């Protein structure tokens, strides 16, 4: 029976990385290891981009435009959790209660949902939207998946703008009410800054000022991704 190759069979060598103070320039070589008939082929590991930002920062909208423009697979941690809730699985009720309180879902649950989607995808360019939100998330991801992200985008948006967007989007989500929004913003401010600081210290963070129209914000995003060259 045919089996999907291992998720991370090859590492991208460090000499393929070059970086400037403004943009990251990555040369990704698609490695295909030829083996004897009947053996499993190996593939280059995915290029993983974490997309961070507070609730209502517009990261989901921008991820959709990035995916469409640059050919990335868009995995939303929040959407994966909501899908798990609606599926009626045994973890769904627990996840629902946690989200209602504006708290963070246990890392292992979210990471396993993300890993499943990566393994199912034929796309080797992955956007992980809304994860990690804490240092514990980050450490767990690197431990369970075994890699760090190649790039981290942070959409920096004022709190009053995020509240206004969340209250006006009217998507019928369980966490779009003023009490839960305030809790979510408090949790985000407290827990996300260490993650952002960590990736900034690693030279992987690109901060985008998320104020303006969708098109104006994407104009700031565009040069970050055009500086990535996939050969």
């Amino acid at each position: 029976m045919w089996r999907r190759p291992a998720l991370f069979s090859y590492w991208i060598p460090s000499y393929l990385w070059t970086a400037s103070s403004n943009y990251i320039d990555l040369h990704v070589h698609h490695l295909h290891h030829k083996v004897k008939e009947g053996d499993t082929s190996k593939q280059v590991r995915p290029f993983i981009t974490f997309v961070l930002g507070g609730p209502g920062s517009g990261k989901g909208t921008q991820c959709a435009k990035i995916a469409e423009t640059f050919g990335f697979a868009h995995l939303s941690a929040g959407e994966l959790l909501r899908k798990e809730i609606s599926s009626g699985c045994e973890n769904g009720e627990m996840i629902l209660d946690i989200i209602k309180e504006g708290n963070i879902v246990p890392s292992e649950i979210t990471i396993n949902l993300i890993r499943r989607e990566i393994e199912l995808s034929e796309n080797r360019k992955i956007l992980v939207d809304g994860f990690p939100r804490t240092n514990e998330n980050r450490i767990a991801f690197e431990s369970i998946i075994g890699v760090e992200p190649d790039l981290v985008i942070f959409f920096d948006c004022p709190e009053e703008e995020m509240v206004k967007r969340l209250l006006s989007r009217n998507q019928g989500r369980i966490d779009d009410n003023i009490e839960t929004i305030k809790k979510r913003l408090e949790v985000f401010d407290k827990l996300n800054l260490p993650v952002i600081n960590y990736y900034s210290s690693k030279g992987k963070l690109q901060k985008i000022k998320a104020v303006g129209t969708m098109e104006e914000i994407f104009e700031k995003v565009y040069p970050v991704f055009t500086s990535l060259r996939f050969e």
Side-chain angles (χ1 to χ4, degrees), residues 174-215:
I174 59 173
D175 49 356
D176 279 353
N177 60 77
I178 189 63
E179 293 81 8
T180 301
I181 286 169
K182 290 293 186 181
K183 288 181 182 179
R184 292 170 66 201
L185 289 170
E186 288 173 6
V187 170
F188 180 83
D189 287 341
K190 179 181 179 180
L191 300 179
N192 200 242
L193 186 59
V195 178
I196 292 165
N197 289 339
Y198 175 82
Y199 286 125
S200 179
S201 72
K202 300 277 285 187
K204 296 186 175 187
L205 187 77
Q206 292 290 322
K207 184 181 290 188
I208 305 294
K209 194 68 176 175
V211 177
T213 66
M214 178 181 67
E215 291 76 15

Side-chain angles (χ1 to χ4, degrees), residues 140-151:
F141 183 93
E142 294 171 8
S143 175
I144 294 171
I145 303 298
V147 297
E148 292 187 358
D150 300 282
L151 173 65

